[in-house]
Amino acid sequence: MARFSASPPPIESLPNDLLIEVLAKVAACSYTDLVHAKLATKKFLEASSHNYIFQHASLENFHKLLWNNSKEFWSFMEKCNNNGNPETLYRKGMLEFFTHCREASGMAYLKLSAQKGYPDACYVYGIILYAMSMEDEGVKFLKICEAKLGFKLAKCRGRVKEFIYCLWVKNKIYVLENDSSDRRGCESVIKNCCKKNVRRNGWDWNDEDDYYGEHTCEACKWNGEVLRFCNMLRTGSYDIMEGDL
């Protein structure tokens, strides 16, 4: 009887560069799927250690893994950061700034991520800069975030809020209402026109991308955005009273 040697699965016959590209796409969808792929074959395990994979890995379910004490997980996180992964740099920055109260370190990670164009990092980094009285620089990053998302900030706000809820927030930023309104003076020629154009539905229940209304000036829009973010850190809600804007 003739004997037939088992041939390797077709995917294992791929050139190594192409296999790395495939695994990078797996990693970009799910950290858990990458772990499973690594266990499949020795070739997969070897290819999964390539720096390119760490650069593109995604941790969409990071909030579920946040308090994971596995050395393997945190080693994976560190490798991603060392290879300039914008998503893990953002999450590391959020932990450093808001939970560990290491502001300089947190800002450094957030800046690296924002400079790579990660929208959520651009948003939070811009907010913090604005609150620290670096309004022009802060607005620059907020506008980058806005442009990358096609002027649709609602989903970004939702992601940031969801991630903040998973942190133990010990370091909060504050902007007094009166101080915020004076940061960048209202550009409207009609007094209080901008305040009347702001929609009152809030971010928590029925957030809309045009919350501020089409006639709200840039200065009032970003003042309001920063104030509402600070309110969310303090109270857990983005909604603020009408008189606070």
Side-chain angles (χ1 to χ4, degrees):
M1 179 181 293
R3 295 184 178 180
F4 297 93
S5 59
S7 58
I11 194 169
E12 285 206 35
S13 63
L14 291 175
N16 200 52
D17 289 349
L18 189 54
L19 180 58
I20 290 171
E21 185 69 40
V22 170
L23 289 175
K25 290 188 180 297
V26 171
C29 294
S30 169
Y31 164 76
T32 304
D33 287 347
L34 177 64
V35 172
H36 292 159
K38 289 168 64 176
L39 299 175
T41 70
K42 182 179 180 181
K43 187 172 183 180
F44 278 25
L45 179 62
E46 292 172 351
S48 66
S49 63
H50 196 279
N51 291 342
Y52 182 76
I53 294 174
F54 295 113
Q55 185 179 349
H56 291 84
S58 172
L59 292 175
E60 185 176 350
N61 294 321
F62 181 81
H63 59 283
K64 297 178 182 178
L65 301 167
L66 184 58
W67 307 115
N68 188 327
N69 291 320
S70 165
K71 290 183 179 179
E72 182 183 7
F73 172 72
W74 290 107
S75 173
F76 176 81
M77 281 284 294
E78 196 62 30
K79 288 177 181 176
C80 287
N81 288 331
N82 291 340
N83 284 283
N85 183 305
E87 184 179 348
T88 59
L89 288 170
Y90 160 72
R91 297 179 187 282
K92 175 74 171 180
M94 295 288 278
L95 277 169
E96 288 288 286
F97 189 94
F98 291 108
T99 297
H100 301 311
C101 301
R102 294 192 281 260
E103 292 191 1
S105 174
M107 288 295 279
Y109 281 109
L110 287 171
K111 182 178 181 179
L112 283 172
S113 179
Q115 288 176 332
K116 291 177 177 291
Y118 191 67
D120 297 6
C122 291
Y123 179 80
V124 176
Y125 185 63
I127 291 282
I128 296 174
L129 287 175
Y130 196 108
M132 291 180 169
S133 299
M134 290 178 274
E135 294 90 346
D136 291 341
E137 187 72 4
V139 167
K140 182 182 81 172
F141 281 97
L142 287 167
K143 286 186 174 181
I144 291 174
C145 173
E146 193 177 48
K148 281 188 168 292
L149 297 174
F151 297 90
K152 297 182 180 298
L153 285 177
K155 288 186 178 180
C156 178
R157 296 176 188 132
R159 289 193 302 268
V160 170
K161 178 182 175 180
E162 182 181 6
F163 186 69
I164 288 285
Y165 274 4
C166 298
L167 300 179
W168 183 6
V169 178
K170 294 189 285 186
N171 185 29
K172 300 176 181 179
I173 56 176
Y174 297 91
V175 177
L176 299 176
E177 286 82 355
N178 291 337
D179 184 32
S180 176
S181 64
D182 293 336
R183 290 293 178 102
R184 294 165 66 90
C186 178
E187 298 162 0
S188 174
V189 294
I190 304 175
K191 187 177 181 181
N192 294 324
C193 176
C194 291
K195 292 183 179 180
K196 292 177 182 178
N197 277 297
V198 173
R199 297 176 183 273
R200 294 300 163 192
N201 56 326
W203 294 3
D204 289 305
W205 298 104
N206 188 28
D207 189 17
E208 296 182 6
D209 294 306
D210 62 344
Y211 173 92
Y212 298 100
E214 60 179 333
H215 301 297
T216 302
C217 74
E218 284 285 301
C220 288
K221 181 175 77 171
W222 297 124
N223 283 337
E225 193 79 22
V226 173
L227 182 59
R228 293 166 73 203
F229 178 87
C230 293
N231 187 73
M232 181 271 294
L233 288 178
R234 187 174 69 253
T235 68
S237 171
Y238 283 117
D239 291 330
I240 55 180
M241 300 302 293
E242 183 170 349
D244 290 340
L245 278 173

